[in-house]
Amino acid sequence: MELVPEIIAKMREVAPPGQQVLDDETVGVLRDLTQSLIAARTSAAEEHARFLSIAERGLCLPEAELAERVHGATVMVTGGTGCIGSTLISQLLIRRPGRLISVSRGVSDSRPRHASVEYRCADVRERAALDQLIGDVRPDLIFHVAAQRDPGLAEVEVHRTVSTNVLGTRNVLIAAAEAGVPQVVCASTGKALRPYSPDMYTASKRAAEWVSSTVATSTDMLVSAGRFTHVLDNSIIYQRLHEWAKGSGVIRLHSPDIAFYVQSALESAQLLLLACLGATRGEFRIHAISDLGWPVSLMDLALAVLASSGSQTPVYVSGYDRGYEEIPFPGLYDPLTAGDVSPLLNAIEAAATVDPPCPMLDAFRMDMAPEPRAVKLLSTLVEVCDRTQDPATVRGTLNELSWSMLDATLRAAPRQALMRSAAMAQRHGDSLGADHRRVLEAIQDNADPGTAG
């Protein structure tokens, strides 16, 4: 039997990355090689089972503290009919709020609805509707979960992604602050640990965190967040693998070496509840699960789906699509802290950790220096999104904001953390792309003015 690396090498030779269409002969060869790979990769079924078992994972919750915060309160959940939103609503119901309101724009799947929950229709992109709804309901607590969550789709639907993830978050927070809402908890993503990214989904969620931090530090409202990684229960990857296995095309994998962290919808909902307890006035604290287990092999997952369904669909190693970063910035993690904190925190964030509300979490205080240019660029982004849906224009404006947010991040970061990040990245200086070189130069400027070259 051929070894796995040999089979993958043949697959790449037969069908080099970057092709949008494969001819019938190539597909036939890939089909045979894929079946050989299924036979050789004996660990795939076990990895698949481990992936599915994550759905049962949950966190330990301090029930007395949660009861004090939630019992009898009026609670609103944006995106309440989605996967995480509906799971959060179920968790909230256990804690017996006085009134529970789900807010969504009317697009949902077959998730169960609860008789005691009020379901309202509103789009977080529409500020006037939010003002009226929040003013009428007067919630004690808002969980903001509504978002556009597909990185690939974000590169196509740029305007919807930015107006939902960035401006929608801004709308919720400002409407809540002006209505006197005591607390808002936001859902974020581990992708936002990148201090800068040209990818629309990552950049939009990073910008949403910055918006949240500005509101948290400029108002009396408690604002905090939880960062999710890949959520099994609404896994875009897993859904896509099954669709491809049933079809007549190919399974397109960016790389045979991808491994990704996974958490359950239950863990995600409970993370938001804990982020609620971890909020501190005048600060923006972000929370993430400390131990996410070993990352899941995407290749094993794909092969197990094919084997379990008896599908003859071939695997094609297609290379990275836009919206999915192939190589992270090499100064992202510090070996001195990477094993001690959640992988959803970067090296700079790990230097700002605070006591979490639960031992199963890590939390950090997001420090951002005042940045008038970023404030101005956010206003420009609002104006641009109001004026046009042109992807290039919206993308360019968000990209300018992203670079400005990087400056705000680095000017507030501990000098020693910046020096270590710069030293780690500098070792890869010859292989850095243009964006990563610019990030490195910005880190060097802030760590020690005069060292950038």
Side-chain angles (χ1 to χ4, degrees), residues 222-423:
L222 288 168
V223 185
S224 58
R227 277 185 183 169
F228 306 153
T229 187
H230 195 91
V231 178
L232 182 144
D233 307 68
N234 65 355
S235 170
I236 294 172
I237 291 173
Y238 196 54
Q239 293 167 4
R240 215 165 267 167
L241 289 175
H242 279 280
E243 290 168 2
W244 279 331
K246 293 176 184 176
S248 56
V250 298
I251 289 180
R252 302 174 68 91
L253 301 185
H254 294 151
S255 165
D257 304 316
I258 292 174
F260 57 102
Y261 290 103
V262 184
Q263 66 189 67
S264 69
L266 176 60
E267 286 177 311
S268 305
Q270 291 172 335
L271 172 60
L272 291 173
L273 293 175
L274 289 165
C276 171
L277 298 180
T280 299
R281 201 170 308 281
E283 297 181 357
F284 180 53
R285 293 189 172 189
I286 300 178
H287 306 72
I289 297 171
S290 301
D291 184 3
L292 291 164
W294 196 253
V296 173
S297 163
L298 179 55
M299 177 63 84
D300 279 348
L301 197 59
L303 296 177
V305 167
L306 291 173
S308 62
S309 64
S311 172
Q312 295 294 307
T313 301
V315 168
Y316 167 49
V317 180
S318 62
Y320 282 79
D321 296 333
R322 197 169 189 176
Y324 296 88
E325 187 177 52
E326 180 175 1
I327 302 173
F329 179 68
L332 204 57
Y333 293 108
D334 187 338
L336 288 180
T337 58
D340 298 329
V341 298
S342 170
L344 306 188
L345 276 61
N346 67 34
I348 294 171
E349 294 163 351
T353 53
V354 295
D355 289 337
C358 163
M360 301 179 77
L361 300 187
D362 287 305
F364 73 95
R365 182 187 63 253
M366 174 175 268
D367 294 324
M368 305 285 274
E371 180 54 70
R373 183 168 175 267
V375 174
K376 182 178 180 181
L377 284 168
L378 178 62
S379 297
T380 301
L381 186 64
V382 174
E383 294 168 5
V384 165
C385 286
D386 283 344
R387 186 180 74 246
T388 180
Q389 295 193 17
D390 176 61
T393 304
V394 176
R395 182 189 298 274
T397 307
L398 178 60
N399 195 52
E400 284 189 67
L401 175 59
S402 296
W403 285 116
S404 183
M405 290 188 302
L406 175 66
D407 291 337
T409 301
L410 298 180
R411 284 196 286 112
R415 182 170 176 269
Q416 180 151 3
L418 292 178
M419 291 177 66
R420 287 189 58 78
S421 179

Side-chain angles (χ1 to χ4, degrees), residues 97-321:
R99 187 179 176 194
L100 185 52
I101 301 97
S102 167
V103 179
S104 61
R105 61 189 182 94
V107 178
S108 62
D109 55 20
S110 58
R111 301 186 191 281
R113 296 201 171 201
H114 303 273
S116 59
V117 176
E118 301 172 40
Y119 291 90
R120 303 288 190 90
C121 288
D123 193 323
V124 296
R125 296 175 295 180
E126 298 174 0
R127 174 66 190 280
L130 279 178
D131 283 338
Q132 181 173 345
L133 179 59
I134 292 174
D136 289 345
V137 172
R138 310 293 295 186
D140 300 302
L141 172 61
I142 296 175
F143 289 93
H144 175 47
V145 187
Q148 197 296 97
R149 65 183 183 88
D150 185 333
L153 186 62
E155 300 300 320
V156 178
E157 296 188 356
V158 173
H159 183 274
R160 182 167 80 88
T161 299
V162 173
S163 58
T164 300
N165 294 356
V166 184
L167 307 187
T169 297
R170 177 177 180 268
N171 288 341
V172 170
L173 290 168
I174 293 178
E178 291 184 353
V181 175
Q183 183 171 13
V184 178
V185 181
C186 299
S188 190
T189 173
K191 287 182 178 291
L193 68 85
R194 294 168 174 81
Y196 166 80
S197 175
D199 300 339
M200 285 296 96
Y201 175 73
T202 300
S204 70
K205 296 297 281 187
R206 178 73 179 171
E209 287 189 351
W210 171 73
V211 168
S212 300
S213 74
T214 62
V215 174
T217 55
S218 63
T219 70
D220 290 331
M221 189 167 66
L222 288 168
V223 185
S224 58
R227 277 185 183 169
F228 306 153
T229 187
H230 195 91
V231 178
L232 182 144
D233 307 68
N234 65 355
S235 170
I236 294 172
I237 291 173
Y238 196 54
Q239 293 167 4
R240 215 165 267 167
L241 289 175
H242 279 280
E243 290 168 2
W244 279 331
K246 293 176 184 176
S248 56
V250 298
I251 289 180
R252 302 174 68 91
L253 301 185
H254 294 151
S255 165
D257 304 316
I258 292 174
F260 57 102
Y261 290 103
V262 184
Q263 66 189 67
S264 69
L266 176 60
E267 286 177 311
S268 305
Q270 291 172 335
L271 172 60
L272 291 173
L273 293 175
L274 289 165
C276 171
L277 298 180
T280 299
R281 201 170 308 281
E283 297 181 357
F284 180 53
R285 293 189 172 189
I286 300 178
H287 306 72
I289 297 171
S290 301
D291 184 3
L292 291 164
W294 196 253
V296 173
S297 163
L298 179 55
M299 177 63 84
D300 279 348
L301 197 59
L303 296 177
V305 167
L306 291 173
S308 62
S309 64
S311 172
Q312 295 294 307
T313 301
V315 168
Y316 167 49
V317 180
S318 62
Y320 282 79
D321 296 333

